[in-house]
Amino acid sequence: MGVFDQSLAAFLAPIKEFLDDETVTEVLINGPTEIWVEKKGKLTLTTASFGDESQLQAAVRNIAQYVKRQIDSQHPTLDARLPNGSRIHAVLPPSARKGTTVAIRKFAKAAELSFEKLISWGTISADAAEFLEICIQLAKNIIVSGGTGSGKTTFLNLLGGLLPKGERLMIVEDASELQIRSDHIVNFETKAADHEGKGALTIRDLIKSAMRLRPDRIIVGEVRAGEALDLITVMNTGHGGSMGTTHANTPMDALVRLETLASLGDTGIPLAALRRQIAGAVHIVVQAKRLHDGSRKITHISEVLGVDENGRYTVQDLFKFIQTGLGEDHKILGEMRPMGNIPTFFEEIEVNGFTYDVKKFAKPAPTKPSAQEVLAQHQAALNAKSPVAAAAASAGAVAPGAAGGTGSAGGAGGGPGVAGAANPIAHLPPAQQQAVIAAAAKAGMSVGQYYKWALEKQKAAAAAKTAGGAKPAAGGKKPGEAA
Ligand SMILES: Nc1ncnc2c1ncn2[C@@H]1O[C@H](COP(=O)(O)OP(=O)(O)OP(=O)(O)O)[C@@H](O)[C@H]1O
Ligand SMILES: [Mg+2]
């Protein structure tokens, strides 16, 4: 441990236990005596204290010195990394009203994280992770989008670990955070201006340099200003497989955000052209989100298709996180599901020798009540004396699953006219009623629908008989089958 590490450790003694505690993911200091920690996505106030403002400021100054940056009245904020890889951001008073305010973000060690872990935590599905791995191999350009602390950097780290060996990767960051493990990596970090306001190196400067240093791919840790345009240019000029993160709440918003940032600089590019460039540059948007229960999930994996005739971005969701309920302690239950869209570059996957079953993009079948369940429901309603109950049950069975908005093959066509009507087979003897109900349930239709269809079929058959073998009018199709 160097001299600085030791003095750092001494200055940070009041929070050392949290820095060492692996279950703590974030340490938040709101002035010298108010210190919070985050564990499992939840914040708790601790009793730790820096004593007074001067001690806290001394610690922050020491960190700044360690990373060769400044924090003083002229430069009242600091972005830096601690020796253990944690990220730190600090703001001095008087802007920080409670006293020096600091956030220390501890990253799960890159070596300890893996897609397997994220899959087991429910952050992403195995199929989606496999798809992203193929996207990286195919050199698709990927933007990881999300809110603050949603897990963007963590996810980008993992994606970076999937890069093909032997490719030259250039990483450009504000304060280095990414710990991508690969065999040929060059890292760049921005540099603040000196006392005379000289010598600053911005992300934009560094991307321009990176472009001249024979990169295969470029990763920009976080796109938050005019460098959006540079990254788009990188992506559009043959450095396929480039990546970056940006702050946005949906994949569509991520594109709009890049557009806004790219047009911040004096680009002179007409908006329509810029949009086409962005839509052409970004192939996949991975959306990360910190949910209410503190968990981090990938909520969307979407493909950018282009720009429509009205100049709007078009995006298709390939995978999405679907919440299915709420568990104990308000834990959000759900899973990532395919959305039934096949990426436009699917052929490329096959042509390049990857095996990815196209069925993995298929929407899972809507959960439909079984025929027996529908039958039981009807019988219960018919047995009940109330004709209203019977009618409601009959209407309710129009399209099992339709209530959830999922629709079903049998119910899609013929709902109107039956819903809300009285039991359409009330006039039949009970045994025949039961036979009709069973047949309807088997066909996946409502009783009214099935009965109407059966009657029409009977009529058509009779007409065909009298017409001497002419084609039956109603054909063999069940209502709804056409739809
Ligand atoms: N899938 C996950 N499950 C649980 N914790 C996670 C997950 N992904 C990230 N984290 C943790 O959440 C915190 C925030 O992660 P990260 O820094 O990657 O977010 P970010 O979106 O890049 O944040 P920022 O917007 O501040 O840059 C870190 O402590 C990280 O270890
Ligand atoms: Mg980040």
Side-chain angles (χ1 to χ4, degrees):
M1 202 188 248
V3 175
F4 254 119
D5 295 42
Q6 280 173 29
S7 76
L8 256 190
F11 278 110
L12 293 174
I15 54 166
K16 188 171 180 303
E17 67 170 299
F18 310 130
L19 297 179
D20 291 342
D21 181 347
E22 295 208 337
T23 64
V24 171
T25 48
E26 206 130 9
V27 182
L28 305 167
I29 304 168
N30 307 340
T33 57
E34 185 185 325
I35 299 174
W36 297 74
V37 293
E38 188 200 69
K39 282 187 185 188
K40 287 190 179 165
K42 293 258 155 49
L43 291 175
T44 39
L45 183 61
T46 68
T47 54
S49 161
F50 273 90
D52 60 27
E53 176 63 29
S54 63
Q55 286 184 47
L56 175 54
Q57 277 198 24
V60 171
R61 289 222 168 84
N62 197 274
I63 292 167
Q65 213 176 341
Y66 179 81
V67 295
K68 300 190 177 61
R69 297 202 177 205
Q70 274 175 299
I71 186 158
D72 51 37
S73 56
Q74 299 287 305
H75 312 87
T77 66
L78 173 74
D79 251 321
R81 290 256 290 179
L82 294 180
N84 68 356
S86 299
R87 184 183 78 180
I88 178 164
H89 187 78
V91 181
L92 292 184
S95 294
R97 308 288 297 160
K98 283 187 169 173
T100 296
T101 299
V102 183
I104 300 174
R105 160 87 42 90
K106 293 169 63 189
F107 291 99
K109 289 196 184 69
E112 290 162 10
L113 260 189
S114 63
F115 269 103
E116 286 70 37
K117 279 214 175 131
L118 290 202
I119 293 164
S120 74
W121 294 343
T123 301
I124 188 172
S125 72
D127 287 350
E130 188 190 348
F131 170 67
L132 286 179
E133 185 166 1
I134 294 174
C135 289
I136 302 253
Q137 299 295 321
L138 292 178
K140 296 294 165 199
N141 294 320
I142 299 177
I143 292 290
V144 181
S145 150
T148 308
S150 56
K152 300 181 295 296
T153 304
T154 305
F155 201 77
L156 186 60
N157 241 331
L158 283 176
L159 287 179
L162 301 173
L163 294 182
K165 289 261 171 296
E167 286 199 14
R168 179 166 159 89
L169 172 67
M170 323 233 37
I171 300 178
V172 178
E173 290 177 280
D174 228 351
S176 28
E177 278 187 338
L178 291 168
Q179 312 165 44
I180 292 172
R181 286 169 301 154
S182 197
D183 57 350
H184 192 161
I185 297 184
V186 181
N187 290 81
F188 288 121
E189 192 180 49
T190 57
K191 182 171 165 291
D194 64 13
H195 300 291
E196 295 168 1
K198 288 182 186 152
L201 268 178
T202 64
I203 298 249
R204 299 200 69 170
D205 299 327
L206 293 172
I207 295 179
K208 286 191 184 100
S209 285
M211 288 271 270
R212 296 189 191 120
L213 290 165
R214 200 222 164 264
D216 283 314
R217 306 183 186 217
I218 295 182
I219 290 185
V220 179
E222 192 179 324
V223 180
R224 51 180 158 195
E227 63 269 12
L229 185 65
D230 304 291
L231 180 62
I232 295 304
T233 310
V234 165
M235 289 176 162
N236 271 329
T237 50
H239 303 97
S242 290
M243 297 190 265
T245 74
T246 198
H247 273 118
N249 292 326
T250 65
M252 187 73 98
D253 283 354
L255 300 174
V256 174
R257 168 97 176 141
L258 289 178
E259 176 186 310
T260 310
L261 295 175
S263 50
L264 278 181
D266 189 14
T267 63
I269 305 173
L271 186 60
L274 180 61
R275 282 193 183 152
R276 276 198 303 277
Q277 280 193 24
I278 291 173
V282 181
H283 300 124
I284 296 285
V285 181
V286 176
Q287 182 70 40
K289 193 170 180 191
R290 183 182 177 280
L291 303 185
H292 299 304
D293 63 354
S295 66
R296 270 90 176 180
K297 296 272 189 303
I298 298 303
T299 58
H300 299 68
I301 294 173
S302 307
E303 181 190 1
V304 182
L305 301 176
V307 180
D308 69 11
E309 63 275 15
N310 299 315
R312 278 189 298 252
Y313 295 107
T314 51
V315 167
Q316 68 168 353
D317 295 330
L318 302 174
F319 297 93
K320 253 170 99 170
F321 175 79
I322 307 286
Q323 184 180 349
T324 52
L326 215 52
E328 269 174 49
D329 280 345
H330 298 279
K331 191 175 152 35
I332 292 175
L333 307 176
E335 61 186 8
M336 175 164 262
R337 291 184 189 158
M339 286 291 106
N341 296 315
I342 298 171
T344 54
F345 54 88
F346 185 73
E347 250 184 53
E348 230 179 289
I349 296 179
E350 296 194 314
V351 169
N352 284 286
F354 295 102
T355 41
Y356 191 88
D357 191 345
V358 71
K359 287 197 202 103
K360 290 181 180 173
F361 295 112
K363 224 175 177 162
T367 42
K368 203 168 117 180
S370 68
Q372 266 147 346
E373 281 164 344
V374 176
L375 182 60
Q377 195 186 348
H378 270 276
Q379 262 172 349
L382 290 173
N383 292 345
K385 294 266 154 35
S386 156
V388 179
S394 180
V398 166
T406 46
S408 68
V418 182
N423 176 11
I425 53 170
H427 58 286
L428 298 179
Q432 217 174 328
Q433 277 192 25
Q434 285 198 8
V436 172
I437 292 167
K442 205 168 167 194
M445 284 190 256
S446 78
V447 174
Q449 250 180 343
Y450 179 83
Y451 186 56
K452 200 169 147 216
W453 171 77
L455 281 183
E456 268 169 26
K457 203 177 163 204
Q458 251 178 20
K459 248 193 261 169
K465 227 181 208 171
T466 47
K471 240 184 166 188
K477 259 192 180 145
K478 291 172 197 148
E481 257 185 9

